[in-house]
Amino acid sequence: MSDIIRLLPDSIANQIAAGEVIQRPSSVVKELVENSVDAGAKTISVIIRDAGKTLIRVLDDGVGMSDTDARMAFERHATSKIKDAADLFNLHSFGFRGEALASIVAIAQVDLRTRKEGQELGIHIEYAGSKLLASESVACPVGCDFQVKNLFFNVPARRKFLKSNDTEFRNILNEFERVVLIHPEIEFHLIHNDIELYTYREAVLKKRIEDVFGKNLSQSLLSLDIDTSLVNVKGFVSTPGFAKKRGYQQYFFVNGRFMKHPYFHKAVLSAFDKIIEPDEMPSYFISLNVDPQTIDVNIHPTKTEIKFENEKAIWQILNSLVRETLCKSSSIPNLDFNQDDAIDIPVYTGKPVSVQPPHVQVNPNYNPFNTADKRSYERETVDWEKLYTPASAGKKNVLPPEDDVLLSSGGEIRVPEQLSLSPEFSPGSTSYFQFRGRYIVSSLSSGLVLIDQHRAHMRILYDGYVANIINKKKVSERLLFPETIEVSSEEALVISSIPEEIEYAGFDLCFLGNNTYSINALPSGIEPSSAAALLKSMLHNAIEVGCEVQDEIVDAIAMSLAKAAAIPYNKILSGEEMDYIVASLFASSSPNYTPDGKNVLITISDQELRNRFK
């Protein structure tokens, strides 16, 4: 039997190694920007074309490289931060000009121009697929200018599986923001397709958070600061009032490096236990500084997962710090013994003190059998019948955006065969009633049906919104006083990538600059007070499903609108409103389930009812 183990050529080995570090264009941006930070740059510019597939260019004004360093940086296992094995556990930087560069040149065309201060000329080096094409002296500014072109040009299978430009650029933006947040002392620029999208000037951390995520988040942040023998913790955590179900920002950094740490995440969440709703999350930006010898950053190729030697102790420190910060900010109610109306507790002197019993006033002349006296003690009579009168006046209209989209082509209501209505159950009749402000109960030819009013209306509205977006029918209500909303960089990117879907959903947005929009019109049936929250919810749903999938985008937008506009529980419905909901529900192609798969109605057959009475 012949041998089956063989050594791979360097060209193939480099491409396999590149796949562990360079997964997509955002991986290149992360590595090059971190190298610029380690080079001591004060200004870093990132220039992107076609979401990084065509060009990724990173310029910095750092210390630059000598001719020898520039050539060595592209060799495999070349680095500036490790001299021996012990240095693996004593890392103080990302690794200046090395390590990842060999992986990048293996799957892209790379052009480098760099000059060290004090040298008259710099060096120009050009690679393509690990092959050196040029190396010459050139005139260039101090610092480095990396250009990575045609990523995965020699690995078409990898390039084929890259996502759409919108998705890949969002990944680049995420990596860019992670570095931007932890280095507020550096000025950053991000340019995409020759348009400068973001400029972050040198600032303190809180101002940098405001620049990236807006003033609303910045104004809700509480400062964290503690220095112990194990860890130094600095950063910010949001107040409980700013907790969100989605759209929260959560960042951990250790020694200037972004990390994901579920164990420390639980330490922060447990400090908010019983303060916020179970399905809500706080935002936080927490930087940990520890002895590099007590952590291992090499347990994951992208170094986003880090192993700590003193995890349990740091967990306790972090949890206690967040709790103490919340208490000091009065986010948690506490006893205040300095109030003016506090109870005056006398000081114990050791001497007996006479205590007077409380005095109770009693009318000795009151006679319960005297009708004249009794009338003065009678309670005011209440007209209980008024409580059962349907309060339909002034209630929110439950009609969908377009009536006609909920009917069949012939204009008649379609009723599924398995839910055939009894003769007395027909549109316009009132042979059903509302139970506990939640269910609509009616008879069927074969028994009873209970309809969840909120879910039924959600189903109706969802169908209407989907039809409007697909058929490009905009049904909006103009706002007398437009609402202003400030969004994050990622949310602004989503708005620019799906403008038609947002418009035909019923929104009229006007860009005001600096990630701020004016909401001039809302979808029909939406309360103006919920405009900003609804738009945010739509954007986050779109981010979760990915903007490149058209059907899922429409579904996410329609679902957000339907949930917001559907009639709430405990609302008393008039007969006409129940008529409309039942008729429109059975006109739907899927009356049994909500868009997210929950039951809308249940049926109880005549046989089940008879069995109950046996």
Side-chain angles (χ1 to χ4, degrees), residues 304-366:
T304 55
E305 298 176 13
I306 297 176
K307 178 67 177 175
F308 285 75
E309 182 180 314
N310 304 301
E311 280 189 345
K312 291 185 177 180
I314 295 176
W315 192 99
Q316 294 290 345
I317 293 171
L318 189 57
N319 179 264
S320 299
L321 176 60
V322 175
R323 284 184 176 274
E324 181 184 4
T325 301
L326 292 175
C327 289
K328 287 182 178 180
S329 69
S330 300
S331 295
I332 299 178
N334 55 358
L335 295 177
D336 185 0
F337 295 100
N338 298 320
Q339 297 179 1
D340 295 336
D341 57 350
I343 300 175
D344 185 15
I345 302 177
V347 179
Y348 177 69
T349 60
K351 299 179 180 179
V353 179
S354 60
V355 179
Q356 297 294 332
H359 179 66
V360 180
Q361 293 184 352
V362 179
N363 182 7
N365 299 321
Y366 171 68

Side-chain angles (χ1 to χ4, degrees), residues 505-537:
F507 280 95
D508 182 5
L509 303 181
C510 179
F511 181 60
L512 303 178
N514 198 23
N515 288 351
T516 303
Y517 289 82
S518 170
I519 305 177
N520 300 321
L522 286 175
S524 178
I526 301 297
E527 294 292 339
S529 58
S530 62
L534 176 58
L535 182 60
K536 286 269 190 179
S537 176

